[in-house]
Amino acid sequence: MNLRTTIAIVGAGPAGLLLGHLLAKAGIDFVIIESRSREYILGRIRAGVLEESSVEVLAKLGLDGRLKQHGLVHDGIYLQFEGTRHHVDFAELIGRTVTVYGQQQVVDDLMLAHDELGSAIYFDSGDVMPKDVETPRPSVDFGHGGIRYSVEADFIVGADGFHGVCRSIIPASEITSFERDYPFAWLGILANVAPSTDELIYALHPDGFAMHSMRSPEVSRLYLQVDPDDDIGNWSDERIWAGLHERLGLDGWTLNEGEITEKSITPMRSFVASTMNYGTLFLAGDAGHIVPPTGAKGLNSAISDVAMLGAALTAYYAGDSGPLSTYSDRALSRQWKTQYFSRWMTDMLHTSGTGTEAEFRYRGQVGQLEYVTGSERALAVLAEQYTGLPIEGV
Ligand code: FAD
Ligand code: DHB
C-alpha cells in the first residue's frame, strides 16, 4: 500500500516521539514507523535525569503535566570519594537544576499525548527500509499487520537508535564513525525502597564506581561498575547489595535495601557519526551518537537534537531552509561538548587496571575530585554542563 506524508520518522523512542509532537505543533504531517511493540518500549528501563533545557522543551509543548507533578527537582548532586560526600549545589552555583524523571515516564507521556492527537504510529513493523534518500522523493518501506507499505515523504528522520537501519544506508564514503569502548560496564537495579539520599550520589571507590539514583519517593535506582563481559547471572541480590554498601557506605549513613525488581548490565561506549544529514535523511539521538551514561546525557542529547531539528523543519516549511542546512553541524557541535563532558565524568569516577597502574589512575582521580570539589570555578564548570548546555536555535 502506498502512503504519502511530509516527514517519515523511523523509531518511536524519545527522539522520534518528541519530534512527532514538535511537527504536530507546527501543523506538519508525519508518520512514525517502529519495529518494536509499544509495551516493549515502555518496559525498557533507561535514563533518569532531565536537564533543565529538556524540561523546558517538554514544557513548551505542554507535555509536562505529569512531569511537573511527579518529577523530582534536584538542586545538585553528591560526589563521593575517600569516605567523604561533597554536595555540588547547581542552584547556588549557577541558578539551574535538573529533574529526576524516568525515560519510561517521558515516553509514556509522549505516547499518551500522541493517542490524543490520533498520530499515525506503526508499531511492530518489520523489514523497515529507507530508500532514495539521495533524491527529493525518499520513502520508507515496511511491513505491518501482514501488509507491505511504502510511505513517500519530503524528508526521512532516522530516530532509530544506535542499532537502527537509517545510519547504515549512508554510503561509507560519506560518513565516518568515531568510537571509543570502555573497559567497564554498569550493572543497574531498580528496587522497591525509598531512596536513602535526597539527591544523586556519584561515588569513586577503590572497588569501582557506584551510584545512587531514584525514580520516585518509593523506588530507588542504583548502579555498580562491573566488567563489560560480566554476566548478570553472577550477581545475586545479596552480592549486589554488598557491593553497594561497600562502595557507597559512609559513617553515620545507611543504605536502605528493598526488593530488586529489575537488574541488567549495560556496556559503555562513546560514538559519534561525522554527519547527521545525508541527502533527505536526517539522524537524531542515539542514531547519531552514544555517550557513556555517567553524565546522564543520552536522553538529553536525543531531546536537544529533535528540538533543533523540529525548529529547523518548521522554519523550512515557513520558507527558510537555512536552519535545516546547518542542523547537522549545530547538533554535532553541541554533541562533541557533551561527549567530552561524559568522558571526563566517566574517567574521573571509574577504576581500571591492576597493580601500580590502577593505583596511579586512582590517585589521579582522587586529585581531580579534590580539585573539583575544592574550586568554586571547577564546580561551576561541572554544574553548567550537567544541567545542560543551551540548545541553539530553539
Ligand atoms: P532509542 O531510545 O534507542 O529509540 C530508538 C527506537 O528505534 C527504538 O524504539 C527502536 O526499537 C527503534 N528502532 C530500531 N531499529 C529500528 C528499525 N530498523 N526500524 C524501526 N524502528 C527501529 N542514558 C542516560 O543518560 N542514562 C542512563 O542511565 C541510560 N541507560 C541506558 C540503558 C540502556 C540499556 C540503553 C540502551 C541506553 C541507556 N541510556 C541512558 C541512553 C538513553 O536511553 C538513550 O540515549 C535514549 O534512549 C536515546 O533515545 P533515541 O530515541 O535516540 O533512541
Ligand atoms: C541515572 C542514569 C544516569 O546515567 C545518570 O548519570 C544519573 C541517573 C538514572 O538512571 O537515574
Side-chain angles (χ1 to χ4, degrees), residues 45-50 77 100-103 186 189-190 200-202 209 211-215 220-223 291-298 345 386:
I45 295 154
R46 291 182 167 183
V49 176
L50 291 178
I77 56 169
V100 176
Y101 192 65
Q103 177 166 332
W186 276 14
I189 64 162
L190 266 187
L200 272 55
I201 306 166
Y202 288 81
F209 171 76
M211 182 168 71
H212 190 333
S213 180
M214 62 197 74
R215 285 293 175 273
S220 296
R221 176 92 169 128
L222 296 123
Y223 296 96
V291 283
T294 325
K297 291 296 174 211
M345 287 285 282
Y386 193 95

Side-chain angles (χ1 to χ4, degrees), residues 26-46:
I28 301 168
D29 192 40
F30 66 92
V31 300
I32 303 180
I33 302 138
E34 164 62 51
S35 56
R36 299 287 192 167
S37 70
R38 181 173 178 148
E39 296 68 37
Y40 179 90
I41 296 169
L42 283 171
R44 281 193 302 223
I45 295 154
R46 291 182 167 183

Side-chain angles (χ1 to χ4, degrees), residues 28 129 156 170 383:
I28 301 168
M129 188 44 69
I156 295 173
I170 301 178

